[in-house]
Amino acid sequence: MSKLAAEDKFLDLSDYGRSFGRFIAHQLKDTCFTPIHVTLLFGLSGLIAIYCILTNHYLLAGFFILLKSGIDAADGELARLKKTPSYSGRYLDSVFDIVLNFFFLMAICYVSETSIWFTIMAFIGIQLQGTLYNYYYVILRTKSVGGDSTSKIFEYKTPKALPGERQQSVNILFGIYTIVYGAFDKIIHALDQEAYKVKSFPNWFMTLLSIYGLGFQLLIIALMLPLGLIEFIIPFFIAYTILIFVLIGIRKVFIK
């Protein structure tokens, strides 16, 4: 099933890895590989990218960052193909994303000798950007097709395990998810508390918003590294965060 109804589909600039992810998922559909295995695989790709940054192999780093984005799209696709959605997979995917984001920036900080405090600011900015994108996107999916079984607009309560997964695993991963994402979720929700009341977001707005999707953020990093712009990555993402207020302002003024 599509994540969105036909009339709500938009050009998602962060979802360029979807076709590759779908291809991988179809190759693994009739194998013993699970979505969790695919999540571990994109984690490995991310770790290789970090190693490449630390060893100044920036072109290879960019390649493995983009490969990580493609594989990242495959675990959800495989879960849908095998009809095995799980909260464990959903939270593990998100935890891996935030951990890799942190170490991507720390590796860039180390190599470029950027201030650690600027790097932490950039990390907070990246997470707020991604949270805004996810917040509006999940609202749209919920209004469009009723959402899915593992993504909720507000995630403040431990969910009940789905068939095929253990409640203990869900409890642990939800606890970790809440620790690493909870503050970002609360900040974005506080900045736009009425967003969930919107009937639908126009396609042009969602396409504009998709510049804050994780895939597009990683694409920027993957391009800036081999272009010799590593010194500017941290300052760029700090400045890029200002657009949060622009996008929220557009939503409040034009989209009711």
Side-chain angles (χ1 to χ4, degrees), residues 105-247:
L105 293 183
M106 284 299 157
I108 291 167
C109 171
Y110 177 79
V111 172
S112 65
E113 299 183 354
T114 304
S115 163
I116 184 68
W117 297 112
F118 280 163
T119 303
I120 291 173
M121 288 174 61
F123 171 72
I124 292 172
I126 281 178
Q127 292 311 128
L128 288 173
Q129 295 162 28
T131 299
L132 181 67
Y133 168 78
N134 289 330
Y135 180 41
Y136 287 162
Y137 189 28
V138 172
I139 291 172
L140 178 65
R141 285 165 59 180
T142 301
K143 305 281 187 177
S144 180
V145 295
D148 58 36
S149 55
T150 58
S151 295
K152 309 297 180 186
I153 298 174
F154 302 106
E155 298 188 274
Y156 300 139
K157 182 180 179 182
T158 306
K160 183 179 179 181
L162 294 171
E165 62 177 341
R166 295 166 53 200
Q167 186 63 51
Q168 183 180 13
S169 298
V170 175
N171 294 347
I172 293 171
L173 287 168
F174 179 76
I176 297 172
Y177 173 88
T178 301
I179 291 170
V180 297
Y181 281 101
F184 301 115
D185 286 343
K186 289 177 181 177
I187 290 171
I188 294 300
H189 293 168
L191 289 174
D192 194 357
Q193 298 180 26
E194 305 297 313
Y196 73 95
K197 297 180 181 179
V198 174
K199 292 181 179 180
S200 182
F201 296 107
N203 294 346
W204 63 265
F205 178 75
M206 292 305 300
T207 294
L208 178 61
L209 180 68
S210 69
I211 64 172
Y212 269 175
L214 177 58
F216 198 78
Q217 293 171 328
L218 294 181
L219 176 62
I220 293 171
I221 295 174
L223 292 175
M224 291 183 77
L225 283 171
L227 289 174
L229 300 174
I230 189 171
E231 301 285 344
F232 298 97
I233 292 176
I234 300 300
F236 172 83
F237 279 105
I238 293 174
Y240 201 45
T241 305
I242 296 172
L243 287 176
I244 285 177
F245 301 100
V246 176
L247 291 166

Side-chain angles (χ1 to χ4, degrees), residues 95-106:
V95 170
F96 269 31
D97 279 336
I98 195 170
V99 170
L100 288 174
N101 284 352
F102 179 78
F103 283 110
F104 285 148
L105 293 183
M106 284 299 157

